[in-house]
Coordinates of all heavy atoms in Angstrom, one line a residue:
A1 N 18.1 19.7 -179.8 CA 18.4 21.0 -179.1 C 19.6 20.8 -178.1 O 19.7 19.6 -177.6 CB 17.2 21.5 -178.4
D2 N 20.3 21.8 -177.8 CA 21.5 21.8 -176.9 C 21.0 22.3 -175.5 O 21.0 23.5 -175.3 CB 22.6 22.6 -177.5 CG 23.9 22.5 -176.7 OD1 23.8 22.3 -175.5 OD2 24.9 22.8 -177.3
V3 N 20.8 21.4 -174.6 CA 20.3 21.7 -173.3 C 21.3 22.5 -172.5 O 21.0 23.5 -171.8 CB 19.8 20.5 -172.5 CG1 19.5 20.8 -171.1 CG2 18.6 19.8 -173.2
G4 N 22.6 22.2 -172.6 CA 23.6 22.9 -171.9 C 23.7 24.4 -172.4 O 23.9 25.3 -171.6
A5 N 23.6 24.6 -173.7 CA 23.6 26.0 -174.2 C 22.3 26.7 -173.7 O 22.4 27.8 -173.4 CB 23.6 25.9 -175.7
G6 N 21.2 25.9 -173.7 CA 20.0 26.5 -173.2 C 20.1 26.9 -171.7 O 19.5 28.0 -171.3
E7 N 20.8 26.2 -170.9 CA 21.0 26.6 -169.5 C 21.7 28.0 -169.4 O 21.3 28.9 -168.6 CB 21.8 25.6 -168.7 CG 22.0 26.0 -167.3 CD 22.6 24.9 -166.5 OE1 23.2 23.9 -167.0 OE2 22.6 25.0 -165.2
Q8 N 22.7 28.2 -170.3 CA 23.4 29.5 -170.3 C 22.5 30.6 -170.7 O 22.6 31.7 -170.2 CB 24.7 29.4 -171.2 CG 25.7 28.4 -170.7 CD 27.0 28.4 -171.4 OE1 27.0 28.7 -172.6 NE2 28.1 28.1 -170.7
I9 N 21.7 30.3 -171.8 CA 20.8 31.3 -172.2 C 19.8 31.7 -171.1 O 19.4 32.8 -170.9 CB 20.1 30.8 -173.5 CG1 21.1 30.7 -174.6 CG2 18.9 31.7 -173.9 CD1 20.7 29.8 -175.8
F10 N 19.3 30.6 -170.4 CA 18.4 30.9 -169.3 C 19.0 31.8 -168.3 O 18.3 32.7 -167.8 CB 18.0 29.5 -168.7 CG 16.9 29.6 -167.7 CD1 15.5 29.6 -168.0 CD2 17.2 29.8 -166.3 CE1 14.5 29.7 -167.1 CE2 16.2 29.9 -165.4 CZ 14.9 29.9 -165.7
N11 N 20.2 31.4 -167.9 CA 20.8 32.2 -166.8 C 21.0 33.7 -167.2 O 20.9 34.6 -166.4 CB 22.1 31.6 -166.4 CG 21.9 30.3 -165.7 OD1 20.9 30.0 -165.1 ND2 22.9 29.4 -165.7
A12 N 21.3 33.9 -168.5 CA 21.5 35.3 -169.0 C 20.2 36.1 -169.3 O 20.2 37.3 -169.2 CB 22.4 35.2 -170.2
N13 N 19.1 35.4 -169.6 CA 18.0 36.1 -170.1 C 16.7 35.9 -169.3 O 15.7 36.6 -169.4 CB 17.7 35.7 -171.5 CG 18.7 36.1 -172.5 OD1 18.8 37.2 -172.9 ND2 19.7 35.2 -172.8
C14 N 16.6 34.8 -168.5 CA 15.4 34.4 -167.9 C 15.4 34.4 -166.4 O 14.4 34.6 -165.7 CB 15.0 33.0 -168.3 SG 15.3 32.7 -170.1
A15 N 16.6 34.2 -165.8 CA 16.7 34.0 -164.4 C 16.4 35.2 -163.6 O 16.0 35.1 -162.4 CB 18.1 33.5 -164.0
A16 N 16.4 36.4 -164.2 CA 16.0 37.6 -163.5 C 14.6 37.5 -162.9 O 14.3 37.9 -161.8 CB 16.1 38.9 -164.3
C17 N 13.7 36.9 -163.7 CA 12.3 36.7 -163.3 C 12.1 35.2 -162.9 O 11.1 34.9 -162.2 CB 11.4 37.0 -164.4 SG 11.5 38.8 -164.8
H18 N 12.9 34.3 -163.4 CA 12.6 32.8 -163.2 C 13.7 32.1 -162.5 O 13.9 30.9 -162.7 CB 12.3 32.2 -164.5 CG 11.1 32.7 -165.3 ND1 9.8 32.5 -164.8 CD2 10.9 33.3 -166.5 CE1 8.9 33.0 -165.7 NE2 9.6 33.5 -166.7
A19 N 14.4 32.7 -161.6 CA 15.5 32.0 -160.9 C 14.9 30.7 -160.1 O 13.8 30.8 -159.6 CB 16.1 32.9 -159.8
G20 N 15.5 29.6 -160.3 CA 15.1 28.4 -159.6 C 13.8 27.9 -160.2 O 13.1 27.1 -159.5
G21 N 13.4 28.4 -161.4 CA 12.1 27.9 -162.0 C 10.9 28.6 -161.4 O 9.8 28.2 -161.7
Q22 N 11.2 29.7 -160.6 CA 10.0 30.4 -160.0 C 9.6 31.6 -160.9 O 10.1 31.7 -162.0 CB 10.4 30.8 -158.6 CG 10.8 29.7 -157.7 CD 9.7 28.6 -157.7 OE1 8.6 28.9 -157.2 NE2 10.0 27.4 -158.1
N23 N 8.7 32.4 -160.4 CA 8.3 33.6 -161.2 C 8.1 34.7 -160.2 O 7.2 34.7 -159.3 CB 7.0 33.2 -161.9 CG 6.5 34.3 -162.9 OD1 6.7 35.5 -162.6 ND2 5.9 33.9 -164.0
V24 N 8.9 35.7 -160.3 CA 8.9 36.8 -159.3 C 7.7 37.8 -159.6 O 7.4 38.6 -158.7 CB 10.2 37.6 -159.2 CG1 11.3 36.7 -158.8 CG2 10.5 38.3 -160.5
I25 N 7.2 37.8 -160.8 CA 6.1 38.7 -161.1 C 4.7 38.1 -160.9 O 3.8 38.7 -160.3 CB 6.2 39.2 -162.6 CG1 7.6 40.0 -162.7 CG2 5.1 40.1 -163.0 CD1 7.8 40.5 -164.1
M26 N 4.5 36.9 -161.4 CA 3.3 36.1 -161.2 C 3.6 34.8 -160.5 O 3.9 33.8 -161.2 CB 2.6 35.9 -162.5 CG 2.1 37.2 -163.2 SD 1.0 36.9 -164.6 CE -0.5 36.4 -163.7
P27 N 3.6 34.8 -159.2 CA 4.2 33.7 -158.4 C 3.6 32.3 -158.7 O 4.3 31.3 -158.6 CB 3.9 34.1 -156.9 CG 3.8 35.6 -157.0 CD 3.2 35.9 -158.3
E28 N 2.4 32.3 -159.2 CA 1.8 30.9 -159.4 C 2.2 30.4 -160.8 O 2.2 29.2 -161.0 CB 0.2 31.0 -159.4 CG -0.5 31.7 -160.5 CD -0.5 33.2 -160.4 OE1 0.3 33.8 -159.6 OE2 -1.2 33.9 -161.1
K29 N 2.7 31.3 -161.7 CA 3.1 30.8 -163.0 C 4.5 30.5 -163.1 O 5.4 31.2 -163.7 CB 2.7 31.9 -164.1 CG 1.1 32.0 -164.2 CD 0.7 32.8 -165.4 CE -0.8 32.7 -165.6 NZ -1.3 33.4 -166.7
T30 N 4.9 29.4 -162.4 CA 6.3 29.0 -162.3 C 6.6 28.2 -163.5 O 5.8 27.9 -164.4 CB 6.5 28.1 -161.1 OG1 5.9 26.9 -161.3 CG2 6.0 28.8 -159.8
L31 N 7.9 27.7 -163.6 CA 8.3 26.8 -164.7 C 8.3 25.3 -164.2 O 9.0 24.5 -164.8 CB 9.7 27.2 -165.2 CG 9.8 28.7 -165.6 CD1 11.2 29.0 -166.2 CD2 8.7 29.1 -166.5
E32 N 7.6 25.1 -163.1 CA 7.5 23.7 -162.5 C 6.6 22.9 -163.4 O 5.7 23.5 -164.1 CB 7.0 23.7 -161.1 CG 7.7 24.6 -160.1 CD 8.9 24.0 -159.5 OE1 9.3 22.8 -159.9 OE2 9.5 24.6 -158.6
K33 N 6.7 21.6 -163.4 CA 5.9 20.7 -164.2 C 4.4 21.0 -164.1 O 3.7 21.2 -165.1 CB 6.2 19.3 -163.9 CG 5.6 18.2 -164.7 CD 6.0 16.8 -164.4 CE 5.5 15.8 -165.4 NZ 6.0 14.5 -165.0
D34 N 3.9 21.0 -162.9 CA 2.5 21.2 -162.7 C 2.0 22.5 -163.2 O 0.9 22.6 -163.7 CB 2.1 20.9 -161.2 CG 2.8 21.8 -160.2 OD1 3.8 22.5 -160.6 OD2 2.4 21.8 -159.0
A35 N 2.8 23.6 -163.0 CA 2.3 24.9 -163.4 C 2.3 25.0 -164.9 O 1.4 25.6 -165.5 CB 3.2 26.0 -162.8
L36 N 3.3 24.4 -165.6 CA 3.3 24.5 -167.1 C 2.1 23.7 -167.6 O 1.5 24.1 -168.6 CB 4.6 23.9 -167.6 CG 5.9 24.7 -167.3 CD1 7.1 23.9 -167.8 CD2 5.8 26.1 -167.8
E37 N 1.8 22.6 -167.0 CA 0.6 21.8 -167.4 C -0.6 22.6 -167.2 O -1.6 22.6 -168.1 CB 0.6 20.5 -166.6 CG 1.6 19.5 -167.1 CD 1.8 18.3 -166.2 OE1 1.2 18.2 -165.2 OE2 2.5 17.4 -166.7
Q38 N -0.7 23.4 -166.1 CA -1.9 24.1 -165.8 C -2.1 25.4 -166.6 O -3.2 25.8 -167.0 CB -2.0 24.4 -164.3 CG -3.3 25.0 -163.8 CD -3.3 25.1 -162.3 OE1 -2.5 24.6 -161.6 NE2 -4.4 25.7 -161.8
Y39 N -1.0 26.2 -166.7 CA -1.1 27.5 -167.2 C -0.5 27.8 -168.6 O -1.0 28.7 -169.3 CB -0.3 28.5 -166.3 CG -0.9 28.5 -164.9 CD1 0.0 28.1 -163.8 CD2 -2.2 28.9 -164.6 CE1 -0.5 28.2 -162.5 CE2 -2.6 28.9 -163.3 CZ -1.8 28.6 -162.3 OH -2.3 28.6 -161.0
L40 N 0.5 27.0 -169.1 CA 1.1 27.4 -170.4 C 0.1 27.1 -171.5 O -0.4 26.0 -171.6 CB 2.4 26.6 -170.5 CG 3.2 26.8 -171.8 CD1 3.6 28.3 -171.9 CD2 4.4 25.9 -171.9
A41 N -0.1 28.1 -172.3 CA -1.0 28.0 -173.5 C -0.4 26.9 -174.4 O 0.7 27.0 -174.9 CB -1.1 29.3 -174.2
G42 N -1.2 25.9 -174.7 CA -0.8 24.8 -175.5 C -0.2 23.6 -174.8 O 0.1 22.6 -175.4
G43 N 0.0 23.8 -173.5 CA 0.4 22.6 -172.7 C 1.9 22.6 -172.4 O 2.7 23.5 -172.9
R44 N 2.4 21.6 -171.7 CA 3.8 21.5 -171.3 C 4.6 20.8 -172.4 O 4.7 19.6 -172.4 CB 4.0 20.8 -170.0 CG 5.4 20.9 -169.4 CD 5.5 20.2 -168.1 NE 5.5 18.7 -168.2 CZ 6.6 18.0 -168.4 NH1 7.8 18.5 -168.4 NH2 6.4 16.7 -168.5
N45 N 5.0 21.5 -173.4 CA 5.8 21.0 -174.5 C 6.7 22.0 -175.1 O 6.5 23.2 -174.8 CB 4.9 20.3 -175.6 CG 4.0 21.4 -176.2 OD1 4.4 22.2 -177.0 ND2 2.7 21.4 -175.8
A46 N 7.7 21.6 -175.9 CA 8.7 22.6 -176.4 C 8.1 23.6 -177.3 O 8.4 24.8 -177.2 CB 9.8 21.8 -177.1
K47 N 7.1 23.2 -178.1 CA 6.5 24.2 -179.1 C 5.8 25.3 -178.3 O 5.9 26.5 -178.7 CB 5.5 23.4 -180.0 CG 5.0 24.3 -181.1 CD 4.2 23.4 -182.1 CE 3.6 24.3 -183.2 NZ 2.2 24.2 -183.3
A48 N 5.1 24.9 -177.2 CA 4.4 26.0 -176.5 C 5.3 26.9 -175.8 O 5.1 28.1 -175.7 CB 3.4 25.3 -175.5
I49 N 6.5 26.4 -175.3 CA 7.5 27.2 -174.6 C 8.1 28.2 -175.6 O 8.2 29.4 -175.4 CB 8.5 26.4 -173.9 CG1 7.9 25.5 -172.8 CG2 9.6 27.3 -173.3 CD1 8.8 24.5 -172.2
I50 N 8.4 27.6 -176.8 CA 9.0 28.4 -177.9 C 8.1 29.6 -178.3 O 8.5 30.7 -178.4 CB 9.4 27.5 -179.1 CG1 10.6 26.6 -178.8 CG2 9.6 28.4 -180.3 CD1 10.8 25.5 -179.8
T51 N 6.8 29.3 -178.4 CA 5.8 30.3 -178.8 C 5.8 31.4 -177.7 O 5.9 32.6 -178.1 CB 4.4 29.7 -178.9 OG1 4.5 28.7 -180.0 CG2 3.4 30.7 -179.2
Q52 N 5.8 31.1 -176.4 CA 5.7 32.1 -175.4 C 7.0 32.9 -175.3 O 6.9 34.1 -175.2 CB 5.3 31.5 -174.0 CG 5.3 32.6 -173.0 CD 4.3 32.4 -171.9 OE1 3.3 31.6 -172.1 NE2 4.5 33.0 -170.7
V53 N 8.1 32.3 -175.4 CA 9.4 33.0 -175.4 C 9.5 33.9 -176.6 O 10.0 35.1 -176.5 CB 10.6 32.0 -175.3 CG1 11.9 32.7 -175.4 CG2 10.5 31.2 -173.9
T54 N 9.1 33.4 -177.8 CA 9.2 34.3 -179.0 C 8.4 35.5 -178.9 O 8.8 36.6 -179.2 CB 8.9 33.4 -180.2 OG1 9.8 32.3 -180.3 CG2 9.0 34.2 -181.5
N55 N 7.1 35.3 -178.5 CA 6.1 36.4 -178.5 C 5.9 37.1 -177.2 O 5.3 38.2 -177.2 CB 4.8 35.8 -178.9 CG 4.8 35.1 -180.3 OD1 5.6 35.5 -181.2 ND2 4.1 34.0 -180.5
G56 N 6.3 36.5 -176.1 CA 6.1 37.1 -174.8 C 4.6 36.9 -174.4 O 3.8 36.4 -175.2
K57 N 4.3 37.4 -173.2 CA 2.9 37.3 -172.7 C 2.7 38.2 -171.5 O 3.4 38.1 -170.6 CB 2.5 35.8 -172.3 CG 1.0 35.7 -172.0 CD 0.7 34.3 -171.6 CE -0.8 34.2 -171.1 NZ -1.1 32.9 -170.6
N58 N 1.8 39.2 -171.6 CA 1.6 40.1 -170.5 C 2.9 40.7 -170.1 O 3.6 41.3 -170.9 CB 0.8 39.4 -169.4 CG -0.6 38.9 -169.9 OD1 -1.3 39.6 -170.6 ND2 -0.9 37.7 -169.5
A59 N 3.3 40.6 -168.8 CA 4.5 41.2 -168.3 C 5.8 40.5 -168.8 O 6.9 41.0 -168.5 CB 4.4 41.2 -166.8
M60 N 5.7 39.3 -169.4 CA 6.9 38.7 -169.9 C 7.2 39.2 -171.3 O 6.4 39.2 -172.2 CB 6.7 37.2 -170.0 CG 7.9 36.5 -170.6 SD 7.9 34.7 -170.4 CE 8.9 34.2 -171.7
P61 N 8.5 39.7 -171.4 CA 8.9 40.3 -172.7 C 9.0 39.3 -173.8 O 9.3 38.1 -173.5 CB 10.2 41.0 -172.4 CG 10.8 40.3 -171.2 CD 9.6 39.8 -170.4
A62 N 8.9 39.7 -175.1 CA 9.2 38.9 -176.2 C 10.7 38.8 -176.5 O 11.3 39.8 -176.4 CB 8.5 39.5 -177.4
F63 N 11.1 37.6 -176.8 CA 12.6 37.4 -177.0 C 12.8 37.2 -178.5 O 14.0 37.0 -178.9 CB 13.1 36.3 -176.2 CG 13.3 36.6 -174.7 CD1 12.2 36.5 -173.9 CD2 14.4 37.2 -174.3 CE1 12.3 36.9 -172.5 CE2 14.6 37.6 -172.9 CZ 13.5 37.4 -172.1
G64 N 11.8 37.2 -179.3 CA 11.9 36.9 -180.8 C 12.9 37.8 -181.5 O 13.6 37.5 -182.4
G65 N 13.0 39.1 -181.0 CA 14.0 40.0 -181.6 C 15.4 40.0 -181.0 O 16.3 40.6 -181.5
R66 N 15.5 39.3 -179.9 CA 16.8 39.3 -179.2 C 17.5 38.0 -179.2 O 18.8 37.9 -179.1 CB 16.5 39.6 -177.7 CG 16.1 41.0 -177.5 CD 16.1 41.4 -176.0 NE 14.8 41.3 -175.5 CZ 14.5 41.4 -174.2 NH1 15.5 41.4 -173.3 NH2 13.2 41.3 -173.7
L67 N 16.8 36.9 -179.3 CA 17.4 35.5 -179.4 C 17.0 34.9 -180.7 O 15.9 35.0 -181.2 CB 16.9 34.6 -178.3 CG 17.2 35.1 -176.8 CD1 16.6 34.2 -175.8 CD2 18.7 35.1 -176.6
D68 N 18.0 34.2 -181.4 CA 17.6 33.6 -182.6 C 16.8 32.3 -182.4 O 16.7 31.8 -181.2 CB 18.8 33.4 -183.5 CG 19.9 32.4 -183.0 OD1 19.5 31.6 -182.1 OD2 21.0 32.5 -183.4
D69 N 16.3 31.7 -183.4 CA 15.4 30.5 -183.3 C 16.2 29.3 -182.6 O 15.6 28.6 -181.8 CB 15.0 30.0 -184.7 CG 14.0 31.0 -185.3 OD1 13.5 31.9 -184.6 OD2 13.6 30.7 -186.5
E70 N 17.4 29.2 -182.9 CA 18.2 28.1 -182.3 C 18.4 28.3 -180.8 O 18.2 27.4 -180.0 CB 19.6 28.0 -182.9 CG 20.4 26.8 -182.5 CD 21.7 26.6 -183.1 OE1 22.2 27.6 -183.8 OE2 22.4 25.6 -182.9
A71 N 18.7 29.5 -180.4 CA 18.8 29.9 -179.0 C 17.5 29.7 -178.2 O 17.5 29.1 -177.1 CB 19.3 31.3 -178.8
I72 N 16.4 30.0 -178.9 CA 15.1 29.9 -178.2 C 14.7 28.4 -178.1 O 14.2 27.9 -177.1 CB 14.0 30.6 -179.0 CG1 14.2 32.2 -178.8 CG2 12.6 30.2 -178.5 CD1 13.3 33.1 -179.6
A73 N 15.0 27.6 -179.1 CA 14.8 26.1 -179.1 C 15.7 25.5 -177.9 O 15.2 24.6 -177.2 CB 15.1 25.5 -180.4
N74 N 16.9 26.0 -177.8 CA 17.8 25.5 -176.7 C 17.2 25.8 -175.3 O 17.2 25.0 -174.4 CB 19.2 26.0 -176.9 CG 19.9 25.4 -178.1 OD1 19.5 24.3 -178.6 ND2 20.9 26.0 -178.6
V75 N 16.8 27.0 -175.1 CA 16.3 27.4 -173.8 C 15.0 26.7 -173.5 O 14.8 26.3 -172.4 CB 16.2 29.0 -173.6 CG1 15.1 29.6 -174.3 CG2 16.3 29.3 -172.2
A76 N 14.2 26.5 -174.5 CA 12.9 25.8 -174.3 C 13.2 24.3 -173.9 O 12.6 23.8 -173.0 CB 12.1 25.8 -175.6
A77 N 14.2 23.7 -174.5 CA 14.6 22.3 -174.2 C 15.1 22.3 -172.7 O 14.8 21.3 -172.0 CB 15.7 21.8 -175.1
Y78 N 15.9 23.3 -172.3 CA 16.4 23.3 -171.0 C 15.2 23.5 -170.0 O 15.2 22.8 -168.9 CB 17.4 24.5 -170.8 CG 17.7 24.7 -169.4 CD1 18.5 23.9 -168.7 CD2 17.2 25.9 -168.7 CE1 18.8 24.1 -167.3 CE2 17.5 26.1 -167.4 CZ 18.3 25.2 -166.7 OH 18.6 25.4 -165.4
V79 N 14.3 24.3 -170.2 CA 13.1 24.5 -169.3 C 12.3 23.3 -169.3 O 11.9 22.8 -168.2 CB 12.2 25.7 -169.8 CG1 10.9 25.8 -169.1 CG2 13.0 27.0 -169.6
L80 N 12.0 22.6 -170.4 CA 11.2 21.4 -170.4 C 11.9 20.3 -169.7 O 11.3 19.6 -168.8 CB 11.0 21.0 -171.9 CG 10.0 19.9 -172.1 CD1 8.6 20.2 -171.6 CD2 9.9 19.5 -173.6
E81 N 13.2 20.1 -169.9 CA 13.9 19.0 -169.2 C 14.0 19.3 -167.7 O 13.8 18.3 -166.9 CB 15.3 18.9 -169.9 CG 16.1 17.7 -169.2 CD 17.4 17.4 -170.0 OE1 17.3 17.1 -171.2 OE2 18.4 17.4 -169.3
T82 N 14.3 20.5 -167.4 CA 14.4 20.8 -165.9 C 13.1 20.7 -165.2 O 13.0 20.3 -164.0 CB 15.1 22.2 -165.7 OG1 16.3 22.2 -166.5 CG2 15.5 22.4 -164.3
S83 N 12.0 21.1 -165.9 CA 10.7 20.9 -165.3 C 10.4 19.4 -165.0 O 9.7 19.1 -164.0 CB 9.6 21.5 -166.2 OG 9.3 20.7 -167.3
E84 N 10.9 18.6 -165.8 CA 10.7 17.1 -165.6 C 11.6 16.6 -164.5 O 11.1 15.9 -163.6 CB 11.1 16.4 -166.9 CG 10.8 14.9 -166.9 CD 9.3 14.6 -166.8 OE1 8.5 15.2 -167.5 OE2 8.9 13.8 -166.0
A85 N 12.8 17.1 -164.4 CA 13.8 16.6 -163.4 C 13.5 17.3 -162.1 O 13.8 16.7 -161.0 CB 15.2 16.9 -163.9
G86 N 13.0 18.5 -162.1 CA 12.8 19.3 -160.9 C 13.9 20.3 -160.8 O 15.0 20.1 -161.1
W87 N 13.5 21.6 -160.4 CA 14.4 22.7 -160.4 C 15.3 22.7 -159.2 O 16.4 23.4 -159.2 CB 13.7 24.0 -160.5 CG 13.0 24.3 -161.8 CD1 11.8 23.8 -162.3 CD2 13.6 25.0 -162.9 NE1 11.6 24.2 -163.5 CE2 12.7 24.9 -164.0 CE3 14.8 25.7 -163.1 CZ2 13.0 25.6 -165.2 CZ3 15.1 26.3 -164.3 CH2 14.1 26.2 -165.3
D88 N 15.0 21.9 -158.2 CA 15.8 22.0 -156.9 C 17.1 21.2 -157.1 O 17.1 20.1 -157.6 CB 15.0 21.4 -155.8 CG 13.8 22.2 -155.5 OD1 13.9 23.4 -155.5 OD2 12.7 21.6 -155.2
Ligands
HEM101 C1 5.7 33.0 -167.8 C2 9.7 31.1 -169.8 C3 11.9 35.4 -169.4 C4 8.2 37.0 -166.8 C5 6.6 32.1 -168.4 C6 6.3 30.7 -168.8 C7 7.4 30.2 -169.4 C8 8.5 31.2 -169.4 C9 7.6 28.8 -170.0 C10 5.0 30.0 -168.6 C11 4.9 29.6 -167.1 C12 3.5 29.2 -166.7 O1 2.5 29.6 -167.3 O2 3.4 28.6 -165.6 C13 10.7 32.1 -169.9 C14 12.0 32.0 -170.5 C15 12.6 33.2 -170.5 C16 11.7 34.1 -169.7 C17 12.5 30.7 -171.2 C18 13.8 33.7 -171.1 C19 14.1 33.5 -172.4 C20 11.1 36.2 -168.5 C21 11.5 37.5 -168.0 C22 10.4 37.9 -167.3 C23 9.4 36.9 -167.4 C24 12.9 38.2 -168.2 C25 10.3 39.2 -166.5 C26 10.7 40.4 -167.0 C27 7.1 36.1 -166.9 C28 5.8 36.3 -166.5 C29 5.1 35.2 -166.9 C30 6.0 34.2 -167.4 C31 5.2 37.6 -165.8 C32 3.6 34.9 -166.7 C33 2.9 35.4 -168.0 C34 1.4 35.3 -167.9 O3 0.8 34.2 -168.1 O4 0.7 36.4 -167.8 N1 7.9 32.4 -168.7 N2 10.5 33.4 -169.4 N3 9.9 35.9 -168.1 N4 7.2 34.8 -167.5 FE1 8.9 34.1 -168.5

């Protein structure tokens, strides 16, 4: 996956709710390492992020109709890598 392309996709599609890896709608459900481990269905891994981005969940919209599979894989790789490195 292309993490650099994923960063651009994130800034265009995700940052409205997840700027800095945070969550403006459900503040505890951040994109930080510990929150992904605790809350993300299926655990902190690329497949689980891809599933949630494709299908959406509650107040988070589905991106399956707006982003193609490659774009979703790239943004998932960016989220996973940045959760490891730290969003700050
Ligand atoms: C949760 C990624 C766009 C609202 C999450 C989670 C991930 C994620 C990985 C799980 C976090 C956790 O459980 O700790 C993304 C990506 C996006 C995106 C990669 C862009 C492609 C958005 C947008 C919104 C949003 C635009 C607001 C309109 C939410 C909400 C949750 C969430 C409300 C919590 C869902 C729940 O468990 O009820 N997001 N997100 N997301 N996201 Fe997004």
Side-chain angles (χ1 to χ4, degrees):
D2 184 335
V3 173
E7 180 173 14
Q8 296 189 330
I9 293 159
F10 186 89
N11 290 336
N13 294 278
C14 320
C17 296
H18 293 297
Q22 301 306 298
N23 188 325
V24 298
I25 297 179
M26 293 190 73
E28 72 280 15
K29 292 193 171 179
T30 73
L31 309 184
E32 306 274 9
K33 186 175 186 178
D34 58 348
L36 294 179
E37 285 168 353
Q38 189 173 350
Y39 300 119
L40 180 61
R44 189 178 74 91
N45 60 77
K47 186 169 179 238
I49 298 171
I50 288 168
T51 297
Q52 179 148 336
V53 171
T54 302
N55 300 328
K57 184 181 178 188
N58 299 316
M60 177 167 154
F63 287 86
R66 289 190 261 169
L67 297 175
D68 65 23
D69 290 351
E70 187 181 9
I72 291 173
N74 289 342
V75 77
Y78 170 72
V79 169
L80 188 62
E81 183 171 301
T82 310
S83 75
E84 187 65 46
W87 288 86
D88 297 322

